[in-house]
Amino acid sequence: MSEDQILSDHILVTGGAGYIGAHACKALARAGFVPVAFDNLATGRESAVKFGPFFRGDLMDPTTIAAAIAQYRPVAVMHFAALSLVGESMRDPGTYWRVNVTGALNLMEATVAAGIRHFVFSSTCATYGDQDGVVLDEETPQHPINAYGASKRAIEDMLRGFEAAHGLQSVIFRYFNVAGADEEGEIGEQHDPETHLIPLMLEAIDGKRPALTLFGDDYPTRDGTCVRDYVHVSDLADAHVLGLNWLRDGRGSRVFCLGTGTGFSVREVIDHARVVTNREVPVLLGARRAGDAAALVSGSARAVAELGWNPKRSNLPQMIRDAWRWSQSRGFARD
Ligand code: UDP
């Protein structure tokens, strides 16, 4: 470690080699912290760890968590590492409960045992379930309809219990749909297999797959396709630094929704992609995907007012443009 790194505060970032975790590491490094990327590389990539040290460990193995904490003595924990696919969680709920809940529990116990008092947690709009198009905010009751959302809600409950018993303070972020890539092109979305709408759509545009399958057009929405609220991954990362500083300033545990308040249907996303890339999007109409809510749109007024969050990159053309540039830089485009 350099002298600067020894003097700076370390933050343990679980899932730091993943899509969102890597962008959070970049934002943390920019803010003067040293992000320690803790990852088992099940879905993350070591090549995404560019902004601080890498520690290969597994949340299912508490000895590796304790070893990382002993080595780096972090002042706070950011917990991204989780299984996060709605469809997969419908097919294999047991694995989602086991990995997400046990992993978080092991991490929270190690955090408390080390005397660390601040914990930033990635939760999700999937904890709300299907609520008939209402704008969802921090006070909206949570009724998850898939094991992914249910496991995340359970971890929120665990955090409340750990605060009451052990004084562990948390900022819980409920993400809406995360998209885009680092504007400077250093990191981006790279799942294998890919399941998310925007990267799949870009691969279809680019001939890397025959077509995008549109999962249902008979939802009770304006054009029958699912409506989602898309947030730029770098804006999301900025919110995590603000949340960390919120805790370090002694402002206490808080839940924040991270969305823009504007929803786009799948067909509207496709229309924007056609304009941004100036190419046709091959689309096949398919069946609904089990576990999908018709509409998930956030009110993010609290994050804006209280954290001073400014989701300046979270407009759909920029998110698609940044994702497109990233996919091209990885050789996905033909030209
Ligand atoms: N979607 C789709 N085809 C795909 C992937 C996703 O029509 O190949 C739809 C999906 O049903 C949802 C939206 O796009 O309404 C966003 O899905 P994604 O998997 O990107 O994120 P999620 O909403 O599951 O977090």
Side-chain angles (χ1 to χ4, degrees):
M1 274 188 281
S2 72
E3 197 168 312
D4 276 358
Q5 287 187 321
I6 293 165
L7 294 175
S8 302
D9 284 331
H10 287 62
I11 310 296
L12 187 69
V13 182
T14 73
Y19 169 48
I20 301 174
H23 285 80
C25 286
K26 178 164 182 170
L28 283 167
R30 241 190 207 157
F33 296 100
V34 179
V36 179
F38 179 99
D39 207 295
N40 65 2
L41 300 184
T43 54
R45 288 161 196 273
E46 197 170 348
S47 58
V49 180
K50 299 182 172 181
F51 312 101
F54 174 58
F55 190 100
R56 186 164 187 165
D58 195 324
L59 296 178
M60 302 303 276
D61 177 358
T63 61
T64 63
I65 309 172
I69 290 176
Q71 183 171 342
Y72 290 105
R73 284 177 282 137
V75 295
V77 171
M78 280 194 186
H79 179 37
F80 295 91
L83 301 177
S84 63
L85 304 178
V86 166
E88 186 181 68
S89 84
M90 295 296 287
R91 292 190 297 276
D92 187 6
T95 298
Y96 270 67
W97 282 105
R98 187 163 42 254
V99 171
N100 287 357
V101 174
T102 311
L105 179 58
N106 288 341
L107 178 63
M108 285 158 53
E109 287 182 331
T111 302
V112 165
I116 300 167
R117 294 170 49 79
H118 296 148
F119 196 99
V120 179
F121 174 56
S122 308
S123 189
T124 168
C125 59
T127 59
Y128 291 114
D130 207 345
Q131 306 220 10
D132 211 13
V134 297
V135 174
L136 305 164
D137 68 21
E138 295 82 0
E139 306 303 329
T140 307
Q142 294 163 290
H143 303 293
I145 56 170
N146 51 62
Y148 167 57
S151 68
K152 290 281 187 171
R153 188 189 58 175
I155 298 165
E156 292 192 14
D157 288 345
M158 280 165 31
L159 281 169
R160 280 182 272 275
F162 269 64
E163 172 155 31
H166 308 299
L168 181 65
Q169 296 182 346
S170 60
V171 160
I172 293 172
F173 286 120
R174 294 189 190 136
Y175 305 163
F176 283 66
N177 282 60
V178 187
D182 175 44
E183 288 162 294
E184 288 156 8
E186 288 192 279
I187 39 180
E189 193 162 11
Q190 199 169 350
H191 298 112
D192 189 16
E194 188 52 74
T195 64
H196 293 107
L197 175 64
I198 291 177
L200 284 175
M201 191 180 60
L202 296 178
E203 287 180 18
I205 288 174
D206 205 35
K208 294 289 172 191
R209 59 181 63 238
L212 172 77
T213 303
L214 200 167
F215 293 149
D217 70 348
D218 58 349
Y219 284 94
T221 59
R222 50 186 175 263
D223 63 14
T225 65
C226 290
V227 170
R228 295 287 182 272
D229 181 344
Y230 294 86
V231 190
H232 195 293
V233 64
S234 298
D235 286 341
L236 200 84
D238 288 348
H240 284 71
V241 177
L242 295 170
L244 174 65
N245 286 332
W246 169 281
L247 288 171
R248 288 163 62 83
D249 289 346
R251 303 183 71 182
S253 296
R254 198 79 169 133
V255 176
F256 296 99
C257 286
L258 297 179
T260 66
T262 304
F264 292 91
S265 73
V266 177
R267 284 208 189 280
E268 289 165 348
V269 176
I270 293 168
D271 288 343
H272 275 88
R274 186 180 300 117
V275 173
V276 167
T277 63
N278 199 24
R279 298 198 194 175
E280 277 312 304
V281 188
V283 177
L284 273 178
L285 181 59
R288 287 184 178 201
R289 182 174 66 177
D292 267 343
L296 291 168
V297 179
S298 167
S300 57
R302 182 185 285 181
V304 171
E306 297 186 10
L307 287 179
W309 186 49
N310 175 15
K312 52 185 181 288
R313 314 169 186 89
S314 294
N315 61 82
L316 203 48
Q318 170 155 2
M319 288 184 274
I320 295 171
R321 200 162 38 245
D322 289 344
W324 180 235
R325 192 184 323 110
W326 166 251
S327 70
Q328 286 182 308
S329 74
R330 291 168 46 231
F332 272 77
R334 276 173 306 203
D335 54 24

